[in-house]
């Protein structure tokens, strides 16, 4: 008899209560490696990941590696990615791979097969996707995520200015693209049953309060909110868009933590400097 695994949403809520809701972006760019006095090589990439995992220990609820910074090192870089994902999973941390996949048919199915489920290439707890080819093209991906207790975070409103003209474009039914995606995402979660929430939303932390309507359309979906720190948003900005939805939010930052390295104590201090206000926000204070 097979049992349905606990959903990503359920596991996140438990870890957010005991650790914090903060999601650390793992972005080993050329500049970050140089700041850590590491070579821009596979070995430098590997050393960076090991040092960061050592510093994080069992502190994090969620870690979000950006796949591009591993892919640029070729197949050996992807081996490092697999290794660091396993390292964080062993620490009880949820893994969210930032790949922003988006395609149709068997190609999209293959992407999903590489990401979710025991025996898959990456076996992550969540990943990011784009719906430019239609939200319906992601329906099977969301279902696969549900079946494996994972979550598909779909870009709804990004924080980059270039995204606004497309995401705010108004369709024939009077809704913006972002509103239509949000409505469809909510329907996907409704089909999965209460509390499962296999479809999450990417909503930039730097967005204006006018996007509150989009947040409301998303219902109970988890909200991945990149943009804190070096991109300009602070924890004090989160209530402007997400008040009343505090327990759904995964506040996300990368560079503002990573730039504290490579010193282990400094990294841990930077982590706590992000975790503490994320706890306060989650409590609705």
């Amino acid at each position: 008899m097979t049992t349905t695994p606990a959903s990503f949403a359920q596991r996140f809520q438990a870890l957010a209560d005991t650790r914090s809701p903060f999601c650390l972006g793992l972005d080993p760019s050329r500049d970050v490696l140089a700041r850590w006095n590491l070579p821009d090589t596979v070995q430098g990439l590997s050393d960076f990941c090991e040092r960061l995992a050592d510093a994080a220990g069992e502190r994090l609820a969620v870690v979000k590696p950006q796949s591009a910074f591993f892919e640029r090192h070729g197949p050996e870089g992807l081996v490092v990615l697999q290794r660091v994902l396993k390292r964080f999973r062993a620490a009880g941390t949820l893994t969210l791979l930032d790949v922003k996949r988006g395609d149709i048919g068997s190609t999209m199915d293959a992407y999903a097969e590489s990401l979710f489920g025991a025996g898959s290439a990456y076996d992550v707890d969540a990943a990011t996707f784009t719906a430019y080819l239609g939200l319906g093209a992601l329906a099977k991906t969301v279902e696969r995520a549900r079946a494996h207790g994972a979550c598909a975070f779909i870009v709804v409103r990004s924080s980059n200015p270039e995204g606004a003209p497309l995401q705010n474009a108004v369709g024939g039914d009077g809704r913006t693209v972002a509103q239509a995606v949000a409505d469809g995402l909510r329907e996907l979660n409704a089909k999965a049953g209460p509390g499962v929430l296999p479809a999450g939303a990417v909503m930039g932390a730097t967005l204006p309060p006018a996007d509150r309507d989009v947040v409301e359309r998303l219902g109970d979906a988890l909200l991945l909110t990149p943009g804190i720190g070096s991109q300009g948003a602070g924890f004090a900005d989160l209530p402007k868009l997400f008040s009343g939805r505090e327990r759904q939010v995964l506040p996300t930052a990368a560079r503002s933590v990573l730039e504290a390295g490579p010193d282990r104590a400094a990294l841990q201090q930077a982590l706590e400097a992000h975790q503490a206000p994320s706890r306060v926000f989650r409590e609705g204070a």
Side-chain angles (χ1 to χ4, degrees):
M1 179 178 178
T2 59
T3 57
T4 303
S7 72
F8 178 93
Q10 293 164 339
R11 290 179 290 149
F12 167 72
Q13 295 298 349
L15 282 170
D17 285 338
T18 57
R19 298 183 181 186
S20 87
F22 178 66
C23 171
L24 175 64
L26 187 54
D27 296 5
S29 67
R30 181 179 290 105
D31 291 342
V32 168
L33 292 178
R35 188 180 184 93
W36 284 41
N37 297 314
L38 291 170
D40 187 24
T41 62
V42 171
Q43 186 59 55
L45 179 69
S46 180
D47 290 346
F48 167 87
C49 290
E50 289 300 315
R51 293 182 191 181
L52 183 60
D54 286 343
E58 298 181 354
R59 289 173 169 80
L60 289 169
V62 187
V63 66
K64 180 175 69 68
Q66 169 49 257
S67 182
F69 293 118
F70 295 85
E71 291 178 33
R72 72 187 187 91
H73 291 279
E76 291 178 328
L78 294 179
V79 171
V80 175
L81 174 59
Q82 291 173 314
R83 192 161 60 235
V84 74
L85 288 169
K86 290 179 181 178
R87 176 80 188 274
F88 275 104
R89 278 199 299 271
T93 300
L94 296 171
T95 56
L96 195 170
L97 189 57
D98 198 353
V99 287
K100 296 185 180 72
R101 301 295 191 214
D103 216 305
I104 60 173
S106 60
T107 305
M108 194 63 242
D109 293 345
Y111 279 137
E113 289 170 7
S114 75
L115 294 165
F116 301 132
S120 64
Y122 298 104
D123 189 17
V124 292
D125 299 296
T128 57
F129 300 88
T130 59
Y132 187 69
L133 296 181
L135 190 61
L138 298 178
K140 289 177 66 177
T141 296
V142 172
E143 172 55 28
R144 184 176 181 86
R146 184 207 62 76
H148 293 284
C151 184
F153 282 91
I154 299 165
V155 177
V156 178
R157 276 288 282 125
S158 58
S159 56
N160 64 311
E162 301 89 347
L166 174 61
Q167 294 158 11
N168 289 330
V170 179
D173 61 2
R175 295 181 297 173
T176 66
V177 172
Q179 289 172 335
V181 173
D183 290 345
L185 194 154
R186 184 172 183 166
E187 291 173 7
L188 287 173
N189 280 332
K191 291 177 182 178
V196 181
L197 304 171
V202 180
M203 291 287 298
T206 59
L207 294 170
D211 281 298
R212 175 72 188 195
D213 171 71
V214 178
V215 174
E216 291 299 320
R217 288 171 181 263
L218 288 163
D220 295 330
L222 292 180
L223 307 168
L224 182 67
T225 62
I228 294 171
S230 59
Q231 292 187 43
F235 287 95
D237 295 312
L238 293 176
K240 298 175 186 176
L241 198 60
F242 305 113
S243 61
R245 303 281 180 180
E246 290 86 355
R247 291 184 63 84
Q248 296 169 228
V249 174
L250 286 69
T252 306
R255 279 176 288 174
S256 52
V257 174
L258 302 181
E259 289 178 354
D263 181 75
R264 178 171 177 166
L267 278 169
Q268 292 174 339
Q269 185 175 9
L271 273 174
E272 181 55 28
H274 287 70
Q275 289 182 297
S278 72
R279 295 186 194 101
V280 172
F281 170 72
R282 179 176 172 81
E283 293 166 1

